[in-house]
Structure formats: structure tokens, C-alpha cells
Amino acid sequence: MAIEIRAIDPVARSFFAGEVSGVDISQDLSHDDVAAISAGMDQYGVLVFHDQHLDDARQLAFSRNFGALELATGDIVQGADRRLSMEVNDISNLDKNNRVLALDDRRRLFGLGNRLWHSDSSFKAVPAKYSLLSARMIPGAGGNTEFADMRAAYDALEDATRTLCDGLVCQHSQLFSRATLGFTDFTDDERRRFAPVLQRLVRRHPVTGRKSLFLASHAGGIVGWPLPEALAFLRDLNEHATQRQFVYAHVWHQWDLVMWDNRVTMHRARPYDHTQVRDMHRTTVACEQSTMEQAA
């Protein structure tokens, strides 16, 4: 059976997520299968695979079809305290013994940053290319994930604003995004690990050639700009980029895998009952180079 990809919401004005059928991603894929999925990513930016019963080994094998994988060095839980391997980001509300985290647990409070609009690993010098999130267990309600199309948002800017954005460089750090929520409880080691990095505000997709805004809650300054002016400008851009006509909201079902291109989208998680288990495993394909190298 050949892979088919259809638009989930064909009446949306600007953004289409694609729903994939005709493939079992727990099995080895052919070259043509990988090429079809890659082409779908270039077109849609977000692909949804339903009913994919994956364990971590199978998810890792599927993810490696699309490039080298990141390690989860941006997670606040490291070493022996981790529940999952360093190749898998633990997007859950569980500790290493699979117990639900307390309401005021430091790990849970740090994870609330996922409710802010962001692009994965923009706080790393070489940011993320693709993210692949597998829903192993979901709460009875809530916990959706919303995606914003940063290509359409860029295209819809006024000409003068678009021209201004093209030359700007931002500073990204998890210190910035968590401070937005009042979380400043970082160790000295974490402050070193999360030191700000530079990212271009506008990116050009290497295959399609389309430009997109590279925004995130991790962006906490613009090089050469006074801080208040930079934050006000970035806030305006985020409000513009997350208007409803640019957004697709994914309602999770157990064993969904959603794959998205961080170069052309932002996303955020939505609230749910924190006493219910939400166990999501994310693998992350790294970009080949930094946005600053791409600009050069």
C-alpha cells in the first residue's frame, strides 16, 4: 500500500497539517517511503500518523531516517534521575519511577514552559530540524498541541516589517522562556548550559526556498536593540504569527505520532488535569548547521 498524505483541514486559509496513511512506521521503510514523508514535511510542516504502536527503539529507528538525532541536553533532568535515554526527550508528568509529579515539583514547573509558543531547541547553537512526538498515554481531556505556520505568518507581514525582520539576529535561551512564567530556580550548571545563543529571525527553507519567521518564547533579545524595544517587537511578532488563521490544533489519540518541522512552525502544549498521566516521548532530528552559518 502506497503512502498517502491528505490535508487535515482543506478549508483552512493558510495552514495545512497532513494526515499520513498507508505506512507502518514501526517497520523498516523503503527509500521511496522516506522520500514521500520528507516531501510531505516540506509541503505541510506537520504530519500526523495515527495508530502507530511504537516503543523507544522503534521510534528512534524511524527518526534516524531523517538525519542525526539530538541528545536531550536541554532537559532539566539529567543523569541517573532521567526516566528515558538521552536520545529521547521526556515530555511527561512522570518521575523515573513512573509516578505523577507533584503540583509544585521543580520538574513540573520547568515543563510548564511547553505551554508557551516555541520552536524546539532554538536555545541550542544548532537548533532542531524535525521533532517526532509519540503519545504513549494521554489524559481524558485537554493536553492538545497547537502549531503555527511561520511561513504564512512571514508572508502576511507588512512589507516594511518583513524587510526589517530579514536582517535581525535574536538571542535565545531557556532562561528567557522560563522567566516569562516566573521560573528562575536554575542551578549554576544550568545557567551555563542554557547561556544565550544567536539565531536569525528569518530563515529560508533549504528545499522549498520559502522564508519563515524563527520565533520562540526562548527569544529574549535582538542584537543591537534596547531590551524593552526588542521585547515589544518580538511580542508583536508572536501575536501576529499565532493568529487563528495560522494555527492547527491537534487533538491527541493514544498512539498518534506527530512530526513537525521546527524551521517553519512554532508549537505549544495546552493544559490538562495534572493528576492524570500524560506520557509523551519525543525524538528530535538536528539541523545540519546553525542559522548563523546558513545566513553566511
Side-chain angles (χ1 to χ4, degrees):
M1 182 176 179
I3 289 178
E4 294 185 3
I5 304 176
R6 67 173 185 85
I8 291 176
D9 183 7
V11 300
R13 281 182 281 175
S14 63
F15 181 67
F16 302 96
E19 188 174 63
V20 185
S21 59
V23 63
D24 178 355
I25 62 176
S26 70
Q27 305 301 312
D28 291 339
L29 301 185
S30 69
H31 175 80
D32 289 345
D33 289 338
V34 174
I37 293 169
S38 296
M41 288 294 290
D42 291 342
Q43 178 179 356
Y44 292 100
V46 178
L47 293 181
V48 177
F49 301 78
H50 293 299
D51 209 24
Q52 302 290 332
H53 292 246
L54 301 174
D55 58 18
D56 284 352
R58 291 174 176 176
Q59 184 172 343
L60 286 164
F62 173 66
S63 303
R64 290 190 180 105
N65 286 298
F66 306 98
L69 301 188
E70 284 188 1
L71 296 179
T73 55
D75 289 359
I76 202 169
V77 180
Q78 297 289 306
D81 290 331
R82 286 189 59 81
R83 191 173 70 99
L84 307 177
S85 81
M86 283 297 293
E87 290 182 302
V88 182
N89 290 86
D90 189 358
I91 315 297
S92 78
N93 61 343
L94 303 172
D95 65 15
K96 66 179 180 180
N97 297 311
N98 291 318
R99 295 175 301 203
V100 173
L101 297 173
L103 181 66
D104 60 350
D105 190 288
R106 180 174 182 267
R107 294 163 291 184
R108 178 181 177 274
L109 298 178
F110 179 83
L112 291 177
N114 289 326
R115 295 187 190 176
L116 303 174
W117 286 106
H118 64 285
S119 175
D120 287 335
S121 297
S122 77
F123 53 84
K124 296 182 179 182
V126 178
K129 178 184 179 183
Y130 295 157
S131 293
L132 303 94
L133 189 58
S134 171
R136 308 299 175 81
M137 188 174 294
I138 57 174
N144 298 342
T145 302
E146 296 179 342
F147 298 90
D149 184 352
M150 307 306 283
R151 303 162 298 187
Y154 176 83
D155 291 344
L157 289 171
E158 295 180 352
D159 290 345
T161 305
R162 196 183 308 117
T163 300
L164 175 61
C165 289
D166 279 342
L168 296 180
V169 173
C170 296
Q171 299 160 321
H172 287 238
S173 172
Q174 291 200 98
L175 302 176
F176 299 143
S177 58
R178 271 48 185 183
T180 302
L181 298 179
F183 184 98
T184 57
D185 179 24
F186 290 101
T187 66
D188 290 342
D189 175 66
E190 288 165 349
R191 292 183 184 279
R192 285 189 293 270
R193 285 198 289 122
F194 302 148
V197 301
L198 299 180
Q199 305 287 3
R200 284 183 58 84
L201 180 55
V202 176
R203 306 182 69 170
R204 185 185 294 275
H205 193 280
V207 176
T208 67
R210 288 189 68 180
K211 287 185 176 182
S212 60
L213 291 169
F214 191 41
L215 290 168
S217 58
H218 308 310
I222 298 173
V223 173
W225 283 40
L227 184 58
E229 184 176 11
L231 294 179
F233 184 68
L234 291 171
R235 177 174 292 186
D236 285 347
L237 287 180
N238 275 285
E239 289 178 356
H240 163 80
T242 55
Q243 296 176 80
R244 300 317 299 176
Q245 67 261 34
F246 303 138
V247 171
Y248 160 68
H250 182 70
V251 179
W252 289 95
H253 297 87
Q254 189 178 24
W255 301 116
D256 280 352
L257 181 129
V258 178
M259 179 176 180
W260 65 89
D261 189 337
N262 289 286
R263 299 168 300 180
V264 301
T265 63
M266 277 201 303
H267 63 282
R268 66 174 180 176
R270 306 313 298 136
Y272 62 95
D273 180 351
H274 74 93
T275 66
Q276 296 188 19
V277 172
R278 186 177 189 264
D279 188 10
M280 318 285 280
H281 294 208
R282 194 191 86 209
T283 44
T284 315
V285 180
C287 284
E288 292 78 11
Q289 57 185 179
S290 75
T291 62
M292 302 304 292
E293 291 171 328
Q294 292 168 344

